[in-house]
Amino acid sequence: MLIKVFGAAVQGIDATLITIEVNSSRGCMFYLVGLPDSAVKESHQRIISALQVNGYRIPTSNIVINMAPADIRKEGSAYDLPLAIGILAASEIIQPEKLSRYLLMGELSLDGSLQPIKGVLPIAIKARELGFEGMIVPQQNAREAAVVNNLKVYGVGNIKEVIEFFNGKQELNPTFINTREEFYAQQTDFDLDFAEVKGQENVKRALEVAAAGSHNVLLIGAPGNGKSMLAKRLPSILPPLSLGESLETTKIHSVAGKLGKDGGLISKRPFRDPHHTISTVAMTGGGSFPQPGEISLAHNGILYLDELPEYQRNVLEVLRQPLEDRKITVARIRCNVEYPASFMLVASMNPCPCGYYNHPTKACVCSPGQVQKYLNRISGPLLDRIDLQIEVTPLPFEKMADNRPGESSATIRERVIRARQIQEERYADIPGIYCNAQMNSKLLALHARPDDKGLTLLKNAMNRLNLSARAYDRILKVSRTIADLEGCQSIQAVHLAEAIGYRNLDREDWAGSVSYTHLRAHETD
């Protein structure tokens, strides 16, 4: 008897329908074809044990299983459930009438219980797209799949429940969640707030500008000045995720298996802060069985790199293309996988190995060569892609002892949201462009053209700081955001002056422009 059962394979962040064809005939052999990997082949032993424990016997017949399309590699243990149900249906132990209406996925334990799997959300989206009535998944994945409306999602704990459901002996209760209610209820709940930050008004202003235009930021300063503290509060002033952004972000985390037990729509923008020992593959994604990396897990949110010079040079350099293209393509012999990677890069670093170069009160013990070598760990091309480079200076005692709360994140966030709304209206007819940081050269010429006074100011800054063409574009993008925060239609000289002021590392006493004469004078002092 020939039976068809339906599952799915995840490629990138999207799913592909897999048709599991099971043919049972006279004989005693078992064949599994269709490019299965070792984990899929091992399902035979798990299925035998699961059925025996629950009072069913593996049929003694010739069983041939084809997983179509046969040119797509089938990976992982999530096919255990559809394979088992297909075998039982082909052997007439399960009634096949309802099989075509449901998509099944799940890993079997030896006792027949179902274990959670990765990538359930994109599979559920594909099931709805293809018109399936429902989907049967492990109980732990039910909430994640139930995010998709117009699809009945059944979470089950044991294969016996699935067998009895198809035989009409047991009813399964679909999982329902109010997606919108849960999504909007959690959007404004943050543990950290800018009201707790004392002083550092110039840095908070810079972070507000960065959040308003989704610009990349680098904080540089001595240890203990509050760089990490400020960066970790940045998510509290970012505009809330839209439902579309949340769904795309949740799909990435679902594929990576990062949603946890209470999987549902991600309601807050991601904040990823990998350790500086991270590998290139972990940062970009990939591996033998490609998975999203940190830059994709930070999609629509923030990738925070603390102690930036401590990261391996090749790890930092692979960020250059995703920062421009906002996506990453992982090329392997068997397949090419594309992951979205539209993130805000927020980084922090000390100015030298000891941490006190340019400190107003503490002496730097590093030689000029050591300072130069340390700062040069950040390449010019990467530094060029960072819009705001902010020096975080020590906080005076008077500010530290001041008990008055600062401006709250909620107040700053309101200004950021207003600026983003202006940008959304401006780019409403341009697909893929949502904020000023994403502007191309054509849009810059159209929306970020300064007046004559501003052009003169920008020309002087370009000549004095020896800025690149990319830095020129970045200054215009930041000035456009500053103008949006003030509700100005045109870019004025004051907006450009503030944007230029955020290029701290382009001064002659910082980064690749460090002057040997200046360093010698500093060392003598």
Side-chain angles (χ1 to χ4, degrees):
M1 184 176 182
L2 178 63
I3 289 295
K4 292 185 179 180
V5 182
F6 299 96
V10 177
Q11 295 178 305
I13 61 169
D14 297 310
T16 302
L17 181 69
I18 300 296
T19 302
I20 298 172
E21 303 170 327
V22 185
N23 187 28
S24 177
S25 59
R26 185 174 298 175
C28 60
M29 301 297 290
F30 182 87
Y31 302 96
L32 178 59
V33 298
L35 215 58
D37 72 349
S38 297
V40 180
K41 292 176 182 177
E42 290 169 355
S43 64
H44 190 205
Q45 283 71 39
R46 291 191 294 272
I47 291 170
I48 290 173
S49 175
L51 294 179
Q52 286 177 343
V53 170
N54 286 278
Y56 298 91
R57 219 162 40 113
I58 193 79
T60 54
S61 59
N62 202 64
I63 297 174
V64 179
I65 302 175
N66 177 44
M67 305 179 76
D71 60 341
I72 296 177
R73 187 165 181 81
K74 319 306 183 301
E75 300 167 348
S77 56
Y79 297 101
D80 289 0
L81 180 61
L83 287 171
I85 297 301
I87 291 171
L88 293 176
S91 304
E92 301 183 359
I93 298 174
I94 286 181
Q95 298 175 14
E97 288 79 13
K98 295 194 289 186
L99 290 178
S100 62
R101 292 153 46 190
Y102 296 91
L103 191 149
L104 291 74
M105 294 297 285
E107 176 188 334
L108 285 174
S109 294
L110 296 184
D111 62 356
S113 59
L114 289 174
Q115 299 299 316
I117 60 175
K118 296 179 181 179
V120 166
L121 180 56
I123 293 173
I125 293 172
K126 175 58 71 172
R128 183 185 63 180
E129 179 185 318
L130 295 174
F132 283 96
E133 179 183 321
M135 181 175 175
I136 299 176
V137 295
Q139 187 69 54
Q140 299 93 321
N141 296 118
R143 282 180 55 81
E144 179 183 337
V147 165
V148 180
N149 55 13
N150 300 322
L151 180 73
K152 293 179 181 178
V153 175
Y154 300 102
V156 295
N158 193 285
I159 190 173
K160 190 172 184 178
E161 298 174 44
V162 184
I163 296 171
E164 293 184 349
F165 170 73
F166 283 116
N167 284 334
K169 297 180 179 179
Q170 178 178 340
E171 288 296 322
L172 296 177
N173 296 319
T175 301
F176 292 106
I177 62 171
N178 191 327
T179 304
R180 291 179 179 271
E181 181 180 331
E182 290 194 6
F183 175 70
Y184 291 116
Q186 300 172 7
Q187 282 196 324
T188 57
D189 182 22
F190 294 98
D191 295 330
L192 303 175
D193 196 291
F194 271 104
E196 302 156 356
V197 179
K198 299 178 180 180
Q200 305 292 8
E201 302 302 332
N202 62 321
V203 184
K204 286 193 278 188
R205 166 63 178 177
L207 294 179
E208 178 182 340
V209 172
S214 191
H215 300 290
N216 302 321
V217 187
L218 174 62
L219 304 176
I220 183 167
N225 284 2
K227 302 185 294 295
S228 299
M229 178 191 65
L230 287 158
K232 289 177 180 179
R233 281 161 173 75
L234 187 54
S236 67
I237 64 171
L238 289 175
L241 284 168
S242 66
L243 273 171
E245 288 176 324
S246 176
L247 185 61
E248 189 175 32
T249 304
T250 308
K251 282 173 66 178
I252 297 170
H253 286 250
S254 172
V255 170
K258 303 289 186 182
L259 285 182
K261 295 180 180 178
D262 299 324
L265 275 181
I266 291 176
S267 57
K268 298 175 187 174
R269 294 189 179 272
F271 183 88
R272 304 294 300 183
D273 54 345
H275 193 261
H276 64 259
T277 55
I278 188 172
S279 67
T280 304
V281 172
M283 181 68 82
T284 61
S288 301
F289 307 115
Q291 290 284 303
E294 288 294 328
I295 62 174
S296 296
L297 293 171
H299 181 63
N300 291 323
I302 293 172
L303 177 66
Y304 176 52
L305 304 182
D306 196 10
E307 302 299 343
L308 188 64
E310 302 300 329
Y311 286 80
Q312 298 177 38
R313 181 68 173 251
N314 58 333
V315 172
L316 295 180
E317 293 309 299
V318 297
L319 296 176
R320 285 157 55 178
Q321 183 196 1
L323 283 171
E324 293 291 327
D325 299 339
R326 300 188 178 272
K327 62 182 179 180
I328 181 75
T329 302
V330 179
R332 294 292 180 267
I333 294 175
R334 294 193 297 248
C335 64
N336 286 350
V337 179
E338 183 176 286
Y339 296 114
S342 180
F343 59 91
M344 264 182 73
L345 175 63
V346 179
S348 60
M349 62 179 286
N350 295 327
C352 66
C354 81
Y356 296 105
Y357 174 68
N358 262 8
H359 196 280
T361 59
K362 295 186 179 181
C364 174
V365 298
C366 305
S367 68
Q370 288 176 312
V371 177
Q372 183 76 60
K373 183 179 179 181
Y374 187 78
L375 294 173
N376 283 348
R377 291 182 185 178
I378 315 301
S379 70
L382 178 61
L383 199 59
D384 229 14
R385 288 169 167 81
I386 298 177
D387 307 321
L388 294 89
Q389 306 154 3
I390 312 302
E391 183 178 3
V392 184
T393 56
L395 196 65
F397 175 79
E398 291 75 13
K399 290 284 187 180
M400 285 189 281
D402 190 351
N403 291 324
R404 291 175 297 178
E407 190 175 29
S408 69
S409 291
T411 304
I412 301 173
R413 196 185 201 198
E414 289 177 5
R415 296 196 296 266
V416 169
I417 291 173
R418 284 197 299 268
R420 284 287 185 102
Q421 288 171 344
I422 293 172
Q423 295 165 47
E424 289 173 5
E425 293 173 6
R426 181 184 298 134
Y427 310 124
D429 299 328
I430 306 170
I433 306 292
Y434 309 102
C435 57
N436 290 332
Q438 298 173 331
M439 281 194 291
N440 54 33
S441 299
K442 182 179 179 180
L443 292 174
L444 277 173
L446 190 62
H447 299 295
R449 179 73 180 173
D451 56 21
D452 292 340
K453 186 177 179 181
L455 279 174
T456 302
L457 176 66
L458 188 54
K459 178 182 177 182
N460 292 336
M462 292 287 294
N463 292 335
R464 183 168 59 86
L465 300 176
N466 195 25
L467 299 177
S468 67
R470 183 182 283 114
Y472 171 84
D473 287 349
R474 301 275 171 178
I475 290 172
L476 288 180
K477 291 177 183 180
V478 174
S479 60
R480 178 66 269 173
T481 299
I482 295 169
D484 289 339
L485 280 168
E486 296 186 4
C488 295
Q489 292 290 332
S490 59
I491 295 177
Q492 300 172 5
V494 64
H495 305 142
L496 279 165
E498 184 177 351
I500 293 167
Y502 292 137
R503 304 290 301 186
N504 280 9
L505 296 189
D506 291 325
R507 299 185 343 232
E508 75 172 17
D509 58 337
W510 281 114
S513 302
V514 174
S515 162
Y516 181 75
T517 305
H518 179 88
L519 285 171
R520 292 296 298 172
H522 174 74
E523 188 182 46
T524 304
D525 292 344

